[in-house]
Amino acid sequence: MTNDGRIKSIQTAFELIEGLEQLDGARASTLADHVDKPVSTVHDYLQTLEQIQYVTKHDNVYRPGTRFLEIGEAERVKRPLYQVAEPELTSLAEETGELATLMVEEHGKGVLLDIEEGEAAIQLHTYPGVRMPLHTSALGKAILAHLPEERVDEIIDEHGLTAMTKNTVTERDRLDDQLEDAREQGFVIDRGERIDGVLCLAAPILGRQDLVLGAICVCSPASRIDNDEDLERIRDAVMRTANMIQVNLNYSDTR
């Protein structure tokens, strides 16, 4: 066990699994070089992970297995937020014709919990489970705006304010101003802060006592939302959907 209470063997196993994902599959020797561990150690771990069906092996190349998908999907569909939000998010995508997404915060990162595509949805090559720094997206800032200030401090201290594009907010004072605006307006817009040329508008989902449960957003090519009327249409649809999810969640809690 390490000084901070971590069990070293478990940490090593997950470092190897993450390494396989980063390398898009690898032989034991390649993975050993990647994680800077002895080949014999890596080989023993991989053999065990294969035996318990968490990695696969073909032509001596190891890859993460679909057991992770099985566990992750089972956890996702059990969440009340997903159960309530998924049909509303589908309707939002259909109404706007755009890409609609749902995010939650976990360990200080934003995690996409659901993605629904409208008829003209932009293709961002993303998928449920993708993690991203909260400060780089409208979704993340909608969540940050409603977290306790001390929690925001912890997240920024741990993860920093790294730039994803030239438009990413990397100054704490400017971020704080945006979070204050988000609380007052009830929505957040990011213009190419995570992906160049993409505009996203997000609103938080709040539970009882204004506890932030997540956020939803609509993303579109910025060129397609080029006037106030289009922006207001998207804003109204997102805020109405967020409110519907909140009402349905609160109702389900009382049954």
Side-chain angles (χ1 to χ4, degrees), residues 14 18 68 71-77 79 81 102-113 128-135 137 139-141 143-144 147 151 154-156 158-159 212-215:
F14 279 96
E18 290 176 354
F68 293 103
I71 293 170
E73 181 63 11
E75 171 59 23
R76 181 173 78 135
V77 300
R79 293 193 176 202
L81 175 59
L102 168 68
M103 175 182 280
V104 295
E105 180 265 325
E106 188 175 272
H107 298 298
K109 290 286 188 75
V111 184
L112 291 183
L113 200 62
V130 165
R131 296 171 179 267
M132 62 188 73
L134 289 166
H135 72 283
S137 70
L139 282 164
K141 284 189 276 193
I143 292 172
L144 283 172
L147 289 174
R151 178 59 180 146
E154 291 172 357
I155 289 171
I156 293 174
E158 180 176 359
H159 298 292
V212 64
L213 305 176

Side-chain angles (χ1 to χ4, degrees), residues 47-194:
Q47 275 196 318
T48 300
L49 288 167
E50 183 190 12
Q51 289 167 3
I52 61 176
Q53 301 178 9
Y54 280 93
V55 304
T56 62
K57 179 184 177 184
H58 182 68
D59 291 338
N60 290 321
V61 174
Y62 293 89
R63 295 181 182 277
T66 54
R67 285 294 303 278
F68 293 103
L69 177 62
E70 177 185 359
I71 293 170
E73 181 63 11
E75 171 59 23
R76 181 173 78 135
V77 300
K78 290 175 186 174
R79 293 193 176 202
L81 175 59
Y82 173 80
Q83 294 171 2
V84 170
E86 190 272 338
E88 300 297 338
L89 204 67
T90 299
S91 296
L92 177 62
E94 291 174 351
E95 176 185 350
T96 61
E98 304 289 359
L99 186 74
T101 57
L102 168 68
M103 175 182 280
V104 295
E105 180 265 325
E106 188 175 272
H107 298 298
K109 290 286 188 75
V111 184
L112 291 183
L113 200 62
D114 191 25
I115 301 170
E116 302 294 339
E117 296 184 356
E119 185 177 2
I122 186 173
Q123 299 299 308
L124 297 182
H125 306 293
T126 191
Y127 48 88
V130 165
R131 296 171 179 267
M132 62 188 73
L134 289 166
H135 72 283
T136 64
S137 70
L139 282 164
K141 284 189 276 193
I143 292 172
L144 283 172
H146 294 276
L147 289 174
E149 185 175 353
E150 58 270 21
R151 178 59 180 146
V152 176
D153 291 340
E154 291 172 357
I155 289 171
I156 293 174
D157 287 345
E158 180 176 359
H159 298 292
L161 295 174
T162 304
M164 302 295 291
T165 72
K166 66 181 185 300
N167 296 321
T168 306
V169 174
T170 57
E171 301 84 23
R172 179 63 190 270
D173 289 346
R174 188 177 167 206
L175 177 63
D176 286 342
D177 288 343
Q178 289 189 345
L179 299 184
E180 179 62 30
D181 289 342
R183 285 188 287 271
E184 293 178 359
Q185 297 172 350
F187 66 92
V188 186
I189 298 174
D190 93 59
R191 302 176 188 271
E193 294 184 40
R194 177 167 174 77

